[in-house]
Amino acid sequence: MGLMVVGVLIGTFIAHVVCKKLLAHWVASKIEGSEKLSAVIRVVEGGSGLKVVALARLTPIPFGLQNAVFSITDLSLPNYLMASSVGLLPTQLLNSYLGTTLRTMEDVIAEQSFSGYFVFCLQIVISIGLMFYVVHRAQVELNAAIVACEMELKTSVVKGNKPNTSGSSFFNKRTLTFSGGGINIV
């Protein structure tokens, strides 16, 4: 388990630094056209950044895409590494548990008993069920955080207040405009 945590920290650190130093402008240009990714960035740069990064790590969204999106936010590297580590911990624990306790097919076949096959199948079903439950909960929480941020932004713009974008590297490059009663990021 310790080796997995160290490996995740090193991999996440390298991916984040490479994305931030080499790909930030390219990623920002690609994200400008996606309302969903723009909303994720606003949430990360708001008060829920650590929570969103941790929850995103539990979802089946490809890590390459996550690393790219999170690299253009103003979330500090230590906070990003901590949130990523916390978010990946359940998956690491599950993989570690399965790797140490799951019986191999060879063991089950060697026993040639109904109970051996039953326990093996039960372990697989429980593991898959647990994985789907964790992913589903993470997606629900992530979507709720994004919707809350969008509502806060719309409320502040409708009331005539300028949205709080201080310290936001993503917002500093964009302006808010009205279009048909909605908000578009331009």
Side-chain angles (χ1 to χ4, degrees):
M1 183 64 192
L3 290 174
M4 285 184 5
V5 170
V6 170
V8 164
L9 281 172
I10 291 171
T12 304
F13 172 80
I14 291 170
H16 186 74
V17 170
V18 166
C19 286
K20 195 164 205 76
K21 299 295 181 192
L22 302 178
L23 302 173
H25 295 295
W26 181 81
V27 170
S29 69
K30 297 296 180 189
I31 288 177
E32 283 180 3
S34 171
E35 278 187 46
K36 192 77 161 175
L37 292 176
S38 296
V40 170
I41 290 173
R42 286 192 300 276
V43 172
V44 170
E45 290 183 343
S48 303
L50 296 175
K51 178 181 176 182
V52 171
V53 171
L55 289 172
R57 293 303 190 181
L58 290 170
T59 65
I61 299 169
F63 286 162
L65 176 61
Q66 290 182 34
N67 291 334
V69 169
F70 295 144
S71 71
I72 66 169
T73 65
D74 62 358
L75 192 62
S76 70
L77 182 60
N79 285 343
Y80 174 73
L81 291 174
M82 181 187 66
S84 291
S85 296
V86 168
L88 290 170
L89 191 60
T91 306
Q92 292 170 349
L93 287 171
L94 184 61
N95 289 339
S96 197
Y97 170 76
L98 289 176
T100 57
T101 63
L102 191 64
R103 299 171 54 156
T104 65
M105 281 302 289
E106 185 178 321
D107 293 341
V108 173
I109 291 171
E111 263 186 37
Q112 299 241 342
S113 69
F114 175 75
S115 64
Y117 286 111
F118 178 75
V119 169
F120 181 73
C121 290
L122 186 63
Q123 285 178 320
I124 290 175
V125 168
I126 289 172
S127 300
I128 291 172
L130 196 61
M131 179 186 66
F132 279 111
Y133 174 75
V134 168
V135 166
H136 173 72
R137 290 301 310 154
Q139 286 177 325
V140 167
E141 290 291 326
L142 185 59
N143 288 337
I146 290 170
V147 167
C149 178
E150 288 296 309
M151 292 304 295
E152 180 182 321
L153 180 64
K154 286 179 183 180
T155 302
S156 65
V157 170
V158 168
K159 287 181 179 176
N161 299 336
K162 186 175 179 184
N164 182 12
T165 60
S166 60
S168 170
S169 60
F170 190 71
F171 266 120
N172 291 340
K173 299 173 188 169
R174 289 151 182 82
T175 58
L176 292 173
T177 60
F178 286 103
S179 172
I183 300 173
N184 292 334
I185 303 297
V186 182

